[in-house]
Amino acid sequence: MTADPPDRPAARRNYPLDHWYAAAFSDEIGRTPVARTLLDRQVVLYRAESGDPVALPDRCVHRKAPLSGGMLIGDAIECPFHGIRYAPDGSCLTIPCQDKIPRGASLRVYPVADVGGHVWIWMGDPVRVDVTKIPDTHWLIDPSLVAVKGSFLVKCNYLTALDNLLDDSHLSFVHRNSIGTAKIVAAPVVMEEGDDGVGFTRWTLDTPPSAVHAKAGGFTTNVDRWFTVRFVPPATVLIDVGSAPIGTGAPQGDRSKGIGLFSNGTLTPSAGNTCHYFWHAARDFSLDSQEASTMLHQEMLRTFVEDVEIVEAVQRSLDCDEENLPQIDIAGDAAPLKARRILDQLMAREAQRQDSAA
């Protein structure tokens, strides 16, 4: 099979390739081809008749027509321009105007996996594919929880959005009317660092509940609130957050009197300074209440819109910074800075492998 054109020079790419990225939610992909730009490449996604997901370059080898505009014939996808058909493994099956299949008429196939409510794609070296590296997003499909979800195509580099997800000091300001409270920004932080990830926990004790938690948990008095964040390379952030009435044992490990939300923010670079932002929030309370699901979806959507608005504004500022004004780091940047160092190390190792192979 033919390979894609060589990857963009490392100096222009700020993401590692040899990793799994979220291409879609599982229920987005079916028997209708879906076009998506991922890691600066156009991809078509669909499911074979077996239900297995398929990912191919979204272009015919003849005149580069997007295959996503075509139709499925069994497990094959048919080009909408001249009817050339491709199998799920990228091989060319038929060319209607001739019998012979020319050399080079096949497509690269991207490894995909349907795990944790997401369809994941591997766009790096196929020899290095490792399903054990798929981020754990089981909260989305955990039968003991009820989840709401959504996605955005955000007009910012994925690193700008990642900084935001790993920094909870902005909650007191960006989300002051949703999930933020005034005391969060000054509460102590316990960092957890490793070679393959970074995280932190912040407890805000005896604090007024956030607007969302007050509505969800019916709190009328102060609460003890926890906020635990974990970064999983290349771009998934796992968040465990909740509130419980003060004095009910939550800081000691008994959260039974409170409410918990388990959230994943998963980012995938698209093209240029844009990225896909997949989010979900799963709750452990009011499991049978459709009203709770509707309320939580509305509130979480409003919260993530607040995030999108600020990161897009930051990206516009970065793009227009002709004076290259100085930028400082503050205490709340500890986790984002560690995550960026991890990504830099991953990309450096990839570059070293490519140099050695060359």
Side-chain angles (χ1 to χ4, degrees):
M1 296 180 189
T2 58
D4 276 358
D7 297 324
R8 298 188 312 159
R12 297 179 58 198
R13 171 167 58 84
N14 62 359
Y15 49 78
L17 274 175
D18 292 339
H19 285 268
W20 293 97
Y21 288 88
F25 285 120
S26 296
D27 58 9
E28 288 185 277
I29 307 304
R31 294 288 293 165
T32 300
V34 173
R36 193 142 288 177
T37 302
L38 307 168
L39 279 63
D40 297 292
R41 296 178 182 174
Q42 293 176 316
V43 177
V44 59
L45 299 145
Y46 67 94
R47 289 188 188 273
E49 291 181 326
S50 65
D52 294 333
V54 177
L56 299 169
D58 191 16
R59 64 185 185 281
C60 178
V61 297
H62 175 223
R63 289 293 182 264
K64 310 299 184 185
L67 297 176
S68 56
M71 60 187 298
L72 300 182
I73 311 295
D75 283 349
I77 188 166
E78 182 181 85
C79 175
F81 201 0
H82 296 95
I84 299 174
R85 294 182 189 175
Y86 301 90
D89 66 359
S91 60
C92 182
L93 296 175
T94 62
I95 300 177
C97 67
Q98 66 186 59
D99 295 329
K100 182 179 179 180
I101 306 297
R103 181 180 298 179
S106 57
L107 295 168
R108 172 181 180 174
V109 59
Y110 295 113
V112 284
D114 194 340
V115 178
H118 297 75
V119 172
W120 302 89
I121 189 168
W122 182 285
M123 304 184 77
D125 184 351
V127 175
R128 299 185 62 83
V129 170
D130 184 353
V131 294
T132 66
K133 290 185 176 181
I134 297 175
D136 182 4
T137 57
H138 74 276
W139 291 332
L140 178 57
I141 59 173
D142 190 327
S144 67
L145 304 171
V146 175
V148 294
K149 67 183 192 308
S151 64
F152 300 94
L153 180 60
V154 188
K155 297 176 183 177
C156 77
N157 191 280
Y158 87 106
L159 290 174
T160 304
L162 182 62
D163 287 347
N164 178 72
L165 280 170
L166 286 170
D167 161 32
D168 70 338
S169 65
H170 75 278
L171 267 64
S172 298
F173 310 99
V174 176
H175 305 301
R176 68 176 77 232
N177 296 317
S178 53
I179 61 172
T181 62
K183 292 179 67 174
I184 289 178
V185 67
V189 175
V190 177
M191 294 288 297
E192 301 173 10
E193 298 188 47
D195 293 336
D196 60 348
V198 63
F200 64 87
T201 299
R202 190 192 296 264
W203 279 89
T204 312
L205 305 178
D206 193 7
T207 183
S210 70
V212 171
H213 286 201
K215 186 177 296 186
F219 300 118
T220 57
T221 58
N222 281 7
V223 297
D224 291 334
R225 173 176 173 161
W226 63 90
F227 198 92
T228 300
V229 176
R230 177 72 181 172
F231 165 65
V232 179
T236 294
V237 177
L238 313 177
I239 303 173
D240 171 5
V241 61
S243 296
I246 57 174
T248 57
Q252 292 75 40
D254 180 7
R255 302 180 180 183
S256 60
K257 305 297 191 301
I259 61 167
L261 291 171
F262 306 92
S263 177
N264 290 28
T266 301
L267 303 165
T268 301
S270 180
N273 282 332
T274 62
C275 66
H276 298 280
Y277 188 160
F278 301 94
W279 66 267
H280 83 255
R283 70 180 188 275
D284 64 2
F285 57 93
S286 304
L287 300 182
D288 297 324
S289 172
Q290 181 57 48
E291 182 180 356
S293 292
T294 300
M295 179 277 295
L296 187 59
H297 185 270
Q298 291 174 341
E299 294 296 334
M300 296 309 298
L301 180 61
R302 180 161 69 98
T303 299
F304 284 110
V305 167
E306 291 169 346
D307 279 326
V308 169
E309 290 175 344
I310 191 66
V311 297
E312 288 188 341
V314 168
Q315 188 65 56
R316 289 193 298 271
S317 179
L318 290 169
D319 292 342
C320 295
D321 188 11
E322 296 179 355
E323 298 179 75
N324 195 26
L325 297 174
Q327 177 175 294
I328 65 168
D329 299 315
I330 59 176
D333 297 322
L337 290 173
K338 173 63 176 179
R340 289 205 179 207
R341 286 195 292 271
I342 290 171
L343 291 170
D344 286 341
Q345 291 166 1
L346 292 174
M347 288 183 285
R349 286 198 288 268
E350 282 186 10
Q352 188 176 35
R353 287 196 298 268
Q354 292 170 359
D355 290 342
S356 297

